[in-house]
């Protein structure tokens, strides 16, 4: 016999916000969001604008006027001086000669190693991947002195080969790890179908796997490009000749022996370096976004 019956729970109706209050709340959220985005844009663009305006100032304006003052003239002589007497053209050429071969080797070897470690099945591949991951943790400062002795004994000093070899070696661990992650999301049925059609491992890599991860390749290439292009420590260590200096090392030449600095040509040289890299990023940023999200979802 049931002594008592629990009364059914009555749901308390929630009061819907009034339309005017709802519009006010949405408008406030939109206003706060737009204000934050505007603030971030100002924070990002203000240094670039200040850098660009400073590249048109004369030496007397740098010394006598406030740092935020606008230039009194808009002549391009600072850019001319930086490109000719400042040897920026030579430094850009050396940077390109060191960066392009390094990037090609990093992408070729890193993508092939990622394919072999993730797609191919062979004994000990997990241990090899662990060795590559350990390479990420080795600081560059620890390997400079031994490498300098090796390059000197091998007769490579006085060339750009020490830069190319060092950039390739330091960029491979992160590239292999990232490419192995991207290959992990590709369904294995694709490679099984290629094998049934008679494709070899090399054909499966070049004609199937590599095109499928091309957005990821763009992402990894841009990350490595900025690391190599903006490097100062490695290039300063191995370029003992003025004719082999890269852009970052060449900027030090705008400061004289006793500390005097040619501010106008220096800012012009920095603008050439910064805005050149910015244009490159704007050209391929869509592929980079696709590459960043390529390994986020499996399917």
């Amino acid at each position: 016999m049931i002594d008592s019956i629990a009364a059914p729970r009555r749901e308390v109706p929630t009061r819907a916000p009034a339309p005017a209050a709802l519009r006010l709340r949405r408008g406030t959220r939109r206003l706060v969001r737009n204000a934050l985005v505007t603030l971030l844009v100002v924070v990002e663009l203000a240094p670039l604008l200040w850098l660009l305006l400073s590249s048109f100032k004369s030496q007397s304006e740098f010394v006598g006027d406030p740092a935020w003052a606008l230039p009194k003239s808009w002549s391009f002589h600072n850019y001319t001086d930086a490109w000719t007497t400042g040897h920026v053209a030579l430094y850009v050429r050396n940077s390109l000669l060191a960066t392009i071969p390094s990037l090609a080797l990093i992408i070729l070897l890193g993508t092939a190693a990622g394919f072999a470690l993730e797609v191919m099945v062979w004994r000990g591949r997990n241990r090899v991947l662990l060795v590559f991951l350990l390479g990420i943790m080795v600081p560059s400062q620890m390997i400079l002195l031994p490498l300098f002795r090796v390059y000197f004994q091998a007769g490579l000093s006085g060339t750009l080969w020490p830069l190319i070899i060092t950039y390739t070696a330091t960029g491979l661990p992160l590239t292999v790890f990232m490419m192995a992650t991207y290959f992990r999301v590709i369904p294995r049925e694709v490679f099984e179908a290629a094998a049934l059609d008679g494709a070899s491992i090399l054909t499966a890599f070049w004609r199937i796997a590599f095109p499928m991860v091309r957005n990821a390749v763009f992402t990894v290439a841009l990350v490595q490009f900025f690391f190599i292009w903006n490097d100062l420590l490695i290039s300063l260590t191995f370029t003992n000749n003025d004719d082999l200096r890269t852009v970052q090392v060449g900027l030090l030449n705008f400061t004289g022996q006793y500390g005097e600095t040619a501010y106008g040509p220096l800012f012009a040289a920095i603008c050439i370096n910064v805005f050149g890299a910015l244009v490159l990023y704007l050209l391929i940023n869509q592929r980079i976004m696709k590459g960043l999200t390529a390994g986020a979802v499996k399917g």
Side-chain angles (χ1 to χ4, degrees):
M1 182 176 180
I2 300 175
D3 297 333
S4 62
I5 300 176
R9 178 179 296 179
R10 297 180 57 185
E11 295 183 357
V12 179
T14 57
R15 187 172 56 184
L22 182 61
R23 287 197 298 271
L24 178 61
R25 189 166 58 189
R26 290 178 178 174
T28 304
R29 289 179 180 175
R30 189 181 303 110
L31 181 62
V32 172
R33 183 177 64 245
N34 293 339
L36 290 176
V37 172
T38 304
L39 179 62
L40 289 176
V41 172
V42 171
V43 170
E44 291 293 330
L45 293 183
L48 296 178
L49 181 61
W50 177 77
L51 181 65
L52 180 64
L53 294 176
S54 299
S55 66
F56 292 99
K57 290 183 179 180
S58 62
Q59 187 72 12
S60 60
E61 290 175 314
F62 274 103
V63 176
D65 295 345
W68 58 84
L70 294 175
K72 297 177 181 177
S73 61
W74 296 88
S75 61
F76 289 85
H77 63 86
N78 286 334
Y79 286 89
T80 306
D81 294 341
W83 192 260
T84 55
T85 58
H87 306 295
V88 171
L90 176 64
Y91 303 147
V92 171
R93 188 205 67 175
N94 291 335
S95 292
L96 290 175
L97 290 177
T99 302
I100 293 176
S102 303
L103 272 182
L105 290 173
I106 289 173
I107 295 301
L108 178 63
L109 299 178
T111 307
F115 177 83
L117 292 171
E118 185 59 37
V119 178
M120 299 174 62
V121 179
W122 47 282
R123 189 174 183 179
R125 60 174 183 166
N126 292 329
R127 295 177 182 176
V128 175
L129 180 60
L130 181 61
V131 172
F132 276 106
L133 294 179
L134 291 176
I136 300 176
M137 306 174 188
V138 178
S140 301
Q141 295 84 350
M142 294 181 60
I143 62 175
L144 293 182
L145 182 58
L147 285 179
F148 186 85
R149 296 187 59 183
V150 170
Y151 293 145
F152 180 78
Q153 294 173 356
L156 297 178
S157 299
T159 66
L160 291 174
W161 281 109
L163 295 182
I164 296 173
I165 297 173
T166 307
Y167 288 145
T168 303
T170 55
L172 271 179
L174 181 61
T175 303
V176 171
F177 173 71
M178 295 181 67
M179 295 311 302
T181 304
Y182 288 121
F183 280 122
R184 191 171 301 164
V185 301
I186 299 178
R188 292 297 177 268
E189 290 79 6
V190 175
F191 303 107
E192 293 173 0
L196 291 176
D197 290 339
S200 62
I201 290 296
L202 189 60
T203 303
F205 171 69
W206 278 113
R207 303 188 64 176
I208 298 175
F210 195 85
M212 294 183 71
V213 296
R214 60 179 179 273
N215 289 328
V217 169
F218 275 103
T219 303
V220 174
L222 191 70
V223 171
Q224 297 295 344
F225 170 81
F226 282 121
F227 168 75
I228 297 173
W229 190 268
N230 295 324
D231 170 70
L232 176 63
L233 180 62
I234 296 176
S235 57
L236 184 62
T237 303
F238 297 126
T239 53
N240 50 6
N241 190 341
D242 291 341
D243 295 333
L244 297 176
R245 291 189 169 186
T246 58
V247 173
Q248 304 303 328
V249 182
L251 293 178
L252 300 177
N253 286 348
F254 290 94
T255 301
Q257 183 179 3
Y258 300 102
E260 71 276 12
T261 303
Y263 290 104
L266 174 61
F267 275 77
I270 295 174
C271 281
I272 294 173
N273 183 31
V274 171
F275 288 100
L278 184 62
V279 169
L280 176 64
Y281 173 78
L282 294 177
L283 289 176
I284 59 176
N285 72 91
Q286 293 299 324
R287 289 184 177 272
I288 296 170
M289 294 298 108
K290 293 179 181 178
L292 288 175
T293 57
V297 179
K298 183 177 182 180

